[in-house]
Amino acid sequence: MSSIRPWILAGCLAALATPTHAQPLETTPSTGASAATVPTPLPSLPRLVALALSYDSGLQSQRLDSQSVAQEVPMAEAGLRPRLDATAAYRYTDADNIYTENPDDYPDEVYDDRVAGKTRDTSWELRMTQPLFSLERWRRVGKARAQMDAATLQVAVAERDLAVKVIETYLEAYQASRKLGLLIAQRESLVLQQRQAQRAYDLGIGDRINLLESQSRLDQAVADQTSAENDLANASSDLERLTGTPLVFDPVLIETPENLSIAPESMPLEGWLALTGDNPQVQLAAERQRVARIDTDVRRASRYPELNLVVGYSDVDSNDALRTSSDLTASVEMNLALYQGGYTTASIRQGELTALAGTASMENESRLAKQEVRKRLRSMQGDLRQIEALQRSVESGSLFLQAAIRGESLGLRDLVDVLDARSSLYDLRIRLVETLCLYLKDRTYLDAAVGRLDTSTLADVAGILGRVEEGNPPATTAPASG
């Protein structure tokens, strides 16, 4: 098997040594709370992933399990090395034999204890066994190494899944915070719009339908703001659970860039599909299939004989002088299981079926990875088209707002038109932020599907978010809602 490439851990752990903008969570944004004058900078995504990789207890359990499985290798190799056994015994014997039944035939003094039939022996023995040929033991070493590789890949899969979860939750927190900032500003605009409609209605120059419409839009904005606050609180809580660090995502009123150019993927679909072999889940399924295949070979090897060299030394001390001895022996022993009631045949068949199941599982994981690539590429292409369209809509909405403001100053428009244009522009910005985060999630899942999720992916995600944020001055924090 090719060496297993560390995909993200090293780069992320290096990020732990760099400063971060993450701040302890002091206040939770809520309706009526005063927002900070200067928003807290975005937490460092590479650092959060690094914290999660070192903090998550489930991942720690996977790593310890992998280290435990790795001990199978020296255990299997021990079966090929010499084995030394020591035994000691004390034996009392009360015998009835030819000596005790014919004492007159053994008058010599040396036979007295034997004729009495009662003997007491103490003995000890050293026995060394060195396997000379054992196909089963040799194959067990290969199986143990394959199991170790599979356990290492299992950790890689867990690391990838955890990193994807952190990125996804980070994007959810970012989306909720920026959406909340826009909704707070939109609500302020709708409050003013509702007051204008109410004033016009009270003066008899307004329409009740317009009043009800403005009130309905304001109520919807309040509901959307509450939902965004809940989403932000949940995402922040999930990030704290994953990383062990409380984080701040302030609601910020962002000015979405009018030209956020994101290049589409240049690699054709066939190229992406060819990379799915690097998917850790596919590699894990292939390694498990290899383990099952080697295990079948181990079972087949039980039909072959084992040849061992045995060297022993024993010392027996007895009250019967004829039983006292010191012996040094050397032998070559062969062991062959001739019949075990059909156990060997059933065991081999079981291994073959397990290997076939592993092959099917590997093919299934490969198909799932390829389907994931197709799905994410299609989604990314649609996301980019939506982003381009929304950017044009935001640009048009900005021009319309400027025209409404200019029209109000000239007396051609009223304040309600300006507020309505501003509210619509906020809606477009919210949709743009949501679509951008959806694109980044699809991009993350695409990189994960082809085994390319690493620190460069984190840098790309952070870079795109940074381009969205860079045009916003510190004073653009969302105003407090009334």
Side-chain angles (χ1 to χ4, degrees):
M1 176 186 176
S2 59
S3 60
I4 299 171
R5 175 174 59 87
W7 60 279
I8 190 172
L9 181 58
C12 287
L13 291 180
L16 287 172
T18 62
T20 179
H21 296 302
Q23 301 291 334
L25 187 62
E26 297 176 354
T27 59
T28 302
S30 60
T31 303
S34 297
T37 303
V38 179
T40 305
L42 285 176
S44 169
L45 180 56
R47 178 177 172 83
L48 292 183
V49 174
L51 287 172
L53 291 175
S54 60
Y55 175 78
D56 186 75
S57 57
L59 182 57
Q60 294 297 326
S61 175
Q62 291 274 9
R63 288 171 177 159
L64 292 174
D65 286 341
S66 175
Q67 296 174 15
S68 174
V69 173
Q71 299 307 308
E72 293 287 340
V73 175
M75 290 168 61
E77 291 175 343
L80 301 175
R81 299 191 181 103
R83 173 174 175 174
L84 186 63
D85 298 311
T87 59
Y90 172 80
R91 178 182 297 174
Y92 171 77
T93 305
D94 188 354
D96 185 8
N97 50 40
I98 190 174
Y99 297 101
T100 59
E101 294 176 354
N102 301 282
D104 295 336
D105 295 341
Y106 305 96
D108 294 342
E109 180 178 296
V110 71
Y111 291 104
D112 287 348
D113 292 314
R114 181 158 295 189
V115 169
K118 301 182 187 316
T119 58
R120 293 175 176 81
D121 302 338
T122 57
S123 64
W124 60 271
E125 179 182 10
L126 287 177
R127 180 183 176 91
M128 186 193 74
T129 304
Q130 170 62 59
L132 299 178
F133 174 79
S134 177
L135 185 59
E136 182 178 4
R137 296 190 184 189
W138 274 107
R139 289 179 176 176
R140 285 188 184 277
V141 175
K143 176 185 174 182
R145 290 173 178 167
Q147 288 175 322
M148 180 181 67
D149 291 342
T152 304
L153 281 170
Q154 183 66 54
V155 174
V157 170
E159 289 177 349
R160 181 205 63 180
D161 292 344
L162 178 60
V164 169
K165 182 62 177 177
V166 172
I167 297 172
E168 184 178 23
T169 308
Y170 181 92
L171 291 173
E172 289 173 354
Y174 174 83
Q175 174 182 319
S177 64
R178 273 44 187 171
K179 180 178 179 180
L180 180 58
L182 290 166
L183 286 171
I184 291 175
Q186 184 187 47
R187 180 183 175 184
E188 294 294 327
S189 178
L190 292 174
V191 167
L192 293 176
Q193 187 177 1
Q194 192 274 341
R195 289 174 181 172
Q196 286 294 112
Q198 182 69 51
R199 185 177 297 111
Y201 179 75
D202 293 340
L203 295 174
I205 59 175
D207 192 329
R208 180 172 175 79
I209 294 178
N210 292 334
L211 176 60
L212 293 175
E213 180 186 6
S214 63
Q215 184 63 50
S216 175
R217 293 185 63 185
L218 177 58
D219 293 339
Q220 181 63 48
V222 172
D224 291 342
Q225 180 181 335
T226 302
S227 176
E229 289 173 352
N230 290 336
D231 292 341
L232 178 57
N234 290 336
S236 299
S237 177
D238 288 340
L239 276 178
E240 182 177 355
R241 175 183 60 83
L242 292 170
T243 64
T245 302
L247 302 167
V248 168
F249 283 85
D250 287 330
V252 176
L253 175 59
I254 61 172
E255 297 285 344
T256 54
E258 297 179 357
N259 185 22
L260 183 62
S261 178
I262 301 177
E265 297 296 337
S266 59
M267 186 184 301
L269 175 61
E270 292 73 16
W272 285 103
L273 294 178
L275 294 176
T276 54
D278 294 331
N279 185 318
Q281 195 73 44
V282 175
Q283 292 180 338
L284 176 60
E287 195 60 35
R288 286 175 172 170
Q289 192 271 343
R290 190 168 79 97
V291 171
R293 190 176 65 251
I294 296 176
D295 179 66
T296 303
D297 292 338
V298 172
R299 296 168 187 248
R300 289 195 181 102
S302 63
R303 289 178 169 175
Y304 291 81
E306 287 190 4
L307 192 64
N308 299 316
L309 171 65
V310 181
V311 177
Y313 176 80
S314 63
D315 186 286
V316 180
D317 186 15
S318 176
N319 61 338
D320 183 356
L322 296 178
R323 294 172 60 87
T324 301
S325 66
S326 296
D327 301 310
L328 177 63
T329 61
S331 62
V332 175
E333 301 178 359
M334 185 187 75
N335 180 40
L336 176 62
L338 297 178
Y339 181 69
Q340 301 184 70
Y343 173 85
T344 302
T345 301
S347 176
I348 293 173
R349 182 56 181 165
Q350 183 185 56
E352 292 172 346
L353 293 173
T354 303
L356 291 174
T359 301
S361 177
M362 180 182 64
E363 293 176 354
N364 181 62
E365 291 296 340
S366 178
R367 292 170 183 171
L368 289 176
K370 291 178 180 178
Q371 179 61 24
E372 181 75 359
V373 167
R374 296 187 183 97
K375 173 183 174 182
R376 297 301 171 179
L377 281 176
R378 284 195 299 267
S379 296
M380 288 170 61
Q381 293 168 359
D383 295 339
L384 289 178
R385 289 195 296 268
Q386 290 187 61
I387 290 173
E388 292 174 358
L390 286 170
Q391 284 180 321
R392 291 193 296 269
S393 296
V394 169
E395 183 179 2
S396 300
S398 299
L399 294 175
F400 177 68
L401 175 60
Q402 294 172 12
I405 295 174
R406 180 64 176 170
E408 184 202 8
S409 66
L410 297 175
L412 302 176
R413 296 273 185 174
D414 57 17
L415 181 59
V416 174
D417 294 328
V418 174
L419 295 175
D420 187 65
R422 180 173 286 116
S423 177
S424 298
L425 182 58
Y426 288 147
D427 282 333
L428 292 173
R429 288 177 179 171
I430 289 172
R431 289 187 58 191
L432 180 56
V433 170
E434 291 176 340
T435 306
L436 177 63
C437 289
L438 182 59
Y439 167 78
L440 293 176
K441 289 179 183 179
D442 288 330
R443 186 170 178 175
T444 298
Y445 277 104
L446 176 64
D447 286 339
V450 297
R452 291 175 53 176
L453 184 61
D454 53 19
T455 51
S456 64
T457 301
L458 305 181
D460 290 343
V461 172
I464 292 176
L465 295 181
R467 288 161 58 189
V468 176
E469 297 288 318
E470 63 186 5
N472 299 295
T476 57
T477 304
S481 57

